[in-house]
């Protein structure tokens, strides 16, 4: 047998061996949203569509949600492994019910809550809401913090006329003058600006963070079981998720396309605009000071003070550090 024949036989043997070897299956992870898909949820869709999850050896499925409390319940009970939820809701759930879940990374390091109005109202500061009609969604977490924000500005709920409406009706109510103010998140600035433009009005946005409400908000929350039984999977997921956030920040159009590819009823342009709004809650002066995803102990403690006050809980009902596990977040 000549050399070329020997080489060919060896190559064939290697090929047969390689094809006979089983391919390692990706680790499955169920990701829980805290609300419906949209631009503010872009990173998890980027993780899947851009291959960051697959590169980390993960097969990720996404579950929609209807609020942070529901998301935390699904995570804590094992229906989902990890997902996004308000850290305030997690604090309250652990303090009052001892739910087995922890935050492993900050997503929004600033609160998304805001008053939206138009120049017609004459408002230029949060305190100008006195005497105004205010519409809000029945489900938004902003409602919990409203009394605190008003108190910080020398007001109370008796100083406003508060009504509740379907989230989809808030914009039309404002633009048609049926309410002076609406309560909405900063993730929707572009959408409301578009509605204002169509109504020939000029939008005014008054973030509550500018009026003293400094706190962590949306965070990456995982069940204690997932973290303890599959720590390597959790660590790979958090790293891939962080990579996806960084990619989305540098490639907002691709982030919009990633969501639209999996949720075709959403347009990539609208998703991109919403992500650009949301990304300001991810990348800002807090990020520059502490790093992407970091959960600073002092800011965390301040967040708990606000959450406890908003929920009527005693400060000693929770050590805020007990709901955090920073060991899964990759170093900067």
């Amino acid at each position: 047998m000549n050399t070329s024949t020997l080489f060919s036989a060896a190559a064939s043997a290697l090929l047969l061996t390689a094809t006979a070897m089983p391919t390692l299956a990706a680790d499955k992870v169920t990701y829980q949203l805290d609300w419906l898909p949209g631009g503010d949820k872009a990173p998890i869709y980027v993780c899947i569509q851009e291959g960051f999850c697959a590169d980390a050896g993960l097969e990720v499925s996404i579950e929609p949600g209807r609020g942070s409390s529901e998301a935390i319940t699904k995570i804590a009970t094992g229906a989902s492994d990890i997902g996004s939820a308000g850290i305030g809701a997690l604090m309250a759930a652990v303090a009052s019910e001892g739910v087995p879940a922890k935050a492993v990374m900050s997503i929004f390091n600033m609160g998304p809550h805001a008053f939206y109005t138009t120049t017609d109202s004459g408002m230029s500061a949060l305190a100008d809401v006195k005497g105004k009609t205010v519409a809000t969604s029945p489900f938004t977490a902003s409602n919990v913090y409203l009394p605190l924000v008003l108190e910080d500005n020398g007001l109370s709920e008796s100083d406003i006329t508060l009504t509740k409406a379907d989230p989809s009706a808030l914009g039309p109510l404002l633009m048609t003058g049926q309410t002076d103010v609406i309560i909405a998140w900063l993730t929707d600035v572009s959408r409301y600006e578009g509605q204002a433009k169509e109504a020939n009005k000029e939008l005014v946005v008054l973030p509550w963070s500018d009026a003293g409400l400094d706190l962590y908000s949306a965070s990456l929350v995982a069940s204690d079981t997932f973290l303890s039984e599959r720590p390597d999977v959790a660590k790979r997921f958090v790293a891939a998720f962080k990579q996806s956030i960084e990619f989305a920040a540098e490639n907002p159009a691709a982030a919009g396309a990633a969501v639209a590819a999996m949720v075709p009823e959403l347009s990539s342009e609208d998703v991109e605009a919403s992500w650009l709004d949301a990304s300001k809650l991810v990348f800002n002066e807090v990020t520059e000071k502490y790093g992407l995803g970091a959960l600073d102990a002092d800011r965390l403690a301040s967040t708990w003070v606000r959450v406890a006050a908003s929920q009527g809980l005693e400060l000693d009902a929770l050590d805020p550090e007990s709901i955090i596990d920073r060991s899964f977040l990759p170093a900067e």
Side-chain angles (χ1 to χ4, degrees):
M1 185 178 291
N2 59 35
T3 304
S4 61
T5 303
L6 283 170
F7 180 80
S8 177
S12 297
L14 284 171
L15 179 61
L16 285 171
T17 302
T19 55
M21 291 177 64
T23 303
L24 292 176
D27 291 297
K28 293 185 178 181
V29 174
T30 302
Y31 186 90
Q32 180 67 51
L33 298 180
D34 55 0
W35 196 246
L36 301 176
D40 57 323
K41 308 296 187 289
I44 188 60
Y45 294 91
V46 166
C47 197
I48 294 171
Q49 290 294 301
E50 293 294 332
F52 299 128
C53 285
D55 290 346
L58 305 172
E59 181 184 336
V60 179
S61 59
I62 300 175
E63 289 294 321
R66 286 288 183 174
S68 289
S69 295
E70 181 192 80
I72 290 166
T73 297
K74 288 186 174 181
I75 291 168
T77 57
S80 297
D81 300 307
I82 192 167
S84 57
I87 200 167
L90 176 63
M91 288 175 165
V94 174
S96 59
E97 301 172 37
V99 299
K102 288 184 174 62
V104 294
M105 176 181 176
S106 167
I107 302 175
F108 293 169
N109 56 34
M110 297 179 70
H113 320 287
F115 284 139
Y116 284 71
T117 186
T118 64
T119 52
D120 297 344
S121 71
M123 288 181 60
S124 59
L126 192 145
D128 295 335
V129 76
K130 184 175 182 178
K132 304 295 185 183
T133 56
V134 180
T136 185
S137 162
F139 314 109
T140 178
S142 302
N143 295 338
V144 174
Y145 297 108
L146 177 61
L148 301 184
V149 171
L150 292 173
E151 183 180 354
D152 286 346
N153 289 270
L155 304 172
S156 69
E157 287 189 75
S158 64
D159 289 311
I160 63 174
T161 301
L162 187 66
T163 60
K164 294 185 178 179
D166 187 89
S168 62
L170 294 178
L173 287 172
L174 179 62
M175 304 316 163
T176 58
Q178 296 178 70
T179 187
D180 299 317
V181 183
I182 61 172
I183 295 173
W185 281 22
L186 295 169
T187 54
D188 290 322
V189 172
S190 298
R191 178 160 64 91
Y192 288 120
E193 280 182 339
Q195 293 180 7
K197 186 175 181 180
E198 289 179 5
N200 293 315
K201 295 187 180 277
E202 186 176 345
L203 195 68
V204 177
V205 183
L206 301 170
W208 292 0
S209 57
D210 291 348
L213 191 68
D214 289 327
L215 41 72
Y216 285 115
S217 183
S219 301
L220 203 56
V221 175
S223 71
D224 287 352
T225 300
F226 178 58
L227 298 178
S228 63
E229 294 185 358
R230 298 200 290 163
D232 177 63
V233 175
K235 198 155 194 171
R236 281 186 277 130
F237 178 85
V238 175
F241 188 83
K242 183 182 179 185
Q243 186 180 8
S244 301
I245 292 178
E246 293 167 335
F247 177 91
E250 295 174 1
N251 305 275
V259 178
M262 297 181 67
V263 191
E265 60 267 31
L266 300 178
S267 77
S268 59
E269 293 80 11
D270 288 346
V271 173
E272 178 185 357
S274 177
W275 163 245
L276 287 171
D277 291 336
S279 65
K280 295 172 185 175
L281 302 172
V282 182
F283 297 94
N284 47 55
E285 62 270 19
V286 179
T287 320
E288 292 173 3
K289 185 174 182 180
Y290 301 113
L292 177 61
L295 287 157
D296 172 68
D298 290 339
R299 190 173 180 82
L300 184 70
S302 297
T303 299
W304 166 238
V305 169
R306 292 303 223 169
V307 171
S310 70
Q311 301 277 357
L313 297 169
E314 297 294 330
L315 278 178
D316 61 3
L318 177 76
D319 174 4
E321 286 294 320
S322 69
I323 65 152
I324 304 298
D325 192 332
R326 299 181 180 86
S327 65
F328 294 91
L329 184 64
E332 285 287 308

